[in-house]
Amino acid sequence: MDFNMKKLASDAGIFFTRAVQFTEEKFGQAEKTELDANFENLLARADSTKNWTEKILRQTEVLLQPNPSARVEEFLYEKLDRKVPSRVTNGELLAQYMAEAASELGPTTPYGKTLIKVSEAEKRLGAAERDFIHAASINFLTPLRNFLEGDWKTISKERRLLQNRRLDLDVCKARLKKAKAAEAKAATVPDFQETRPRNYILSASASALWNDEVDKSEQELRVAQTEFDRQAEVTRLLLEGISSTHVNHLRCLQEFVESQTTYYAQCYRHMLDLQKQLGRFPGTFVGTTEPASPPLSSTSPTTAAATMPMEPSVAGPAPPGEAALCLEEVAPPASGTRKARVLYDYEAADSSELALLADELITVYSLPGMDPDWLIGERGNKKGKVPVTYLELLS
């Protein structure tokens, strides 16, 4: 019990001296040991990394789950170390409603048949969304949370410990400075003609006492300096590890982009299949005589790679002379052929078109009178029409 009381009193004394030193520093009444510029830059870089990681994490959670109540529920399940229950996506719920509506309104009617087809597409979209959320949570959100809840807590703990070591060091410096000033004052030899012998003896005794105090303060300063240097090195190593954290987060970000790209590509394919089933294609509007909006140009590789392609409109009646054109009998022109890289998979609608696979290289050229949205593509012995919006033309 006595030992505990002594330790408690000692800890209270250390806390009080640190508080006094910290307060005097804030009011400019005490000197403060400054860290080197490189160390300060590491601290600022770590703080910036932590702040932006928190913002990116929160906004990504909003992107994946816009419902705040659902996010709070998932957070509570995670804190309680319980499995988050499976949640129906909005697309899957919409698909369920459409299927039920088709069953009640008549699955054999045109409206009912369309509801069934759309419900199947929405169900596939919901499943794709579920897979995307799952992949993004594991590959992107989890590493960010691990950094904030693991590495950053360790860095914060060591930084607080470094702050305490610095305060102890500055307290020792201030104590040594006061002891040396008192020793110098006590070492002044009094005048025997104006000072009593008794006062001279007391002055000599005080000088010896302050000399011992200076030695003690110097010893405490050396110990405090050693502990501060050791803690500064530990903290520096942790702060330099932020570079490795950036590399890890970069890899996770790339995986998130891959997951998002796969998700949107799946959504595009599902909707394209649905439009084909319904007899409507992008750029073709049934029931209106307005011309279809032109597809995005693929002359710019950057623009073509950054946007999902639009299916070219269904070709109308061929001009005279082209209806009887047989692609197998057409020879490529002597000049004007170009290489093209396929941006996305394309399934041929009929025998006159050439099926494409993403990232493959084909030879393309145009014939007089052709629709500008199409080119003739060759791959080995196969030849057929290919949509321009699916290609990146090379030199």
Side-chain angles (χ1 to χ4, degrees), residues 171-185:
V171 168
C172 292
K173 288 181 178 180
R175 185 179 297 135
L176 178 61
K177 184 177 180 180
K178 293 178 181 179
K180 286 185 176 181
E183 180 189 27
K185 183 177 180 180

Side-chain angles (χ1 to χ4, degrees), residues 309-325:
M310 294 181 62
E311 183 77 9
S313 59
V314 177
E322 186 178 351
L325 179 64

Side-chain angles (χ1 to χ4, degrees), residues 21 25 30-34 163-176 221 224 228:
Q21 176 67 24
E25 289 176 358
E31 297 181 358
K32 176 182 177 181
T33 299
E34 298 293 342
Q163 175 74 351
N164 292 336
R165 293 290 181 263
R166 186 196 61 77
L167 290 173
D168 294 341
L169 176 63
D170 290 336
V171 168
C172 292
K173 288 181 178 180
R175 185 179 297 135
L176 178 61
L221 178 60
F228 172 77

Side-chain angles (χ1 to χ4, degrees), residues 43-97:
L43 289 175
R45 186 164 174 253
D47 289 334
S48 180
T49 300
K50 180 255 185 182
N51 293 334
W52 283 112
T53 301
E54 285 181 336
K55 293 180 180 180
I56 293 173
L57 175 63
R58 287 196 298 266
Q59 192 57 37
T60 306
E61 291 175 342
V62 172
L63 173 67
L64 299 180
Q65 179 51 265
N67 189 345
S69 300
R71 292 200 303 272
V72 172
E73 181 182 352
E74 293 175 357
F75 175 78
L76 293 178
Y77 273 104
E78 291 178 358
K79 290 301 180 182
L80 296 176
D81 292 332
R82 298 178 59 183
K83 184 179 179 181
V84 179
S86 179
R87 190 184 304 276
V88 178
T89 62
N90 294 328
E92 292 172 329
L93 187 60
L94 177 60
Q96 178 183 345
Y97 290 164

Side-chain angles (χ1 to χ4, degrees), residues 53 57 61 78 137 140-150:
T53 301
L57 175 63
E61 291 175 342
E78 291 178 358
S137 299
F140 189 61
L141 294 184
T142 299
L144 297 186
R145 289 197 191 99
N146 290 341
F147 166 72
L148 294 175
E149 298 176 1

Side-chain angles (χ1 to χ4, degrees), residues 152-301:
W152 182 254
K153 286 187 176 180
T154 302
I155 292 175
S156 299
K157 178 182 177 182
E158 297 300 331
R159 287 179 65 176
R160 289 192 298 268
L161 189 56
L162 177 63
Q163 175 74 351
N164 292 336
R165 293 290 181 263
R166 186 196 61 77
L167 290 173
D168 294 341
L169 176 63
D170 290 336
V171 168
C172 292
K173 288 181 178 180
R175 185 179 297 135
L176 178 61
K177 184 177 180 180
K178 293 178 181 179
K180 286 185 176 181
E183 180 189 27
K185 183 177 180 180
T188 303
V189 180
D191 189 351
F192 285 102
Q193 296 179 355
E194 300 180 359
T195 306
R196 297 180 181 178
R198 180 173 176 274
N199 292 340
Y200 175 77
I201 295 175
L202 292 176
S203 177
S205 177
S207 178
L209 291 175
W210 282 115
N211 188 25
D212 294 340
E213 183 67 21
V214 168
D215 293 341
K216 180 181 177 181
S217 298
E218 289 178 345
Q219 177 62 25
E220 292 177 350
L221 178 60
R222 285 192 292 269
V223 173
Q225 185 69 54
T226 301
E227 293 179 352
F228 172 77
D229 294 339
R230 184 186 300 112
Q231 185 58 37
E233 185 63 24
V234 171
T235 307
R236 184 189 297 273
L237 292 176
L238 290 175
L239 294 175
E240 291 175 348
I242 293 294
S243 298
S244 300
T245 299
H246 287 181
V247 173
N248 183 39
H249 287 183
L250 172 61
R251 178 182 58 82
C252 297
L253 182 60
Q254 292 172 341
E255 293 180 356
F256 173 72
V257 172
E258 290 293 334
S259 301
Q260 201 170 27
T261 303
T262 301
Y263 167 61
Y264 286 118
Q266 289 176 346
C267 292
Y268 176 79
R269 287 197 297 269
H270 294 329
M271 296 309 299
L272 188 61
D273 293 341
L274 176 61
Q275 286 179 319
K276 288 182 179 180
Q277 293 178 21
L278 299 180
R280 296 182 58 183
F281 297 86
T284 302
F285 297 88
V286 177
T288 178
T289 58
E290 295 180 3
S293 57
L296 298 178
S297 173
S298 63
T299 56
S300 173

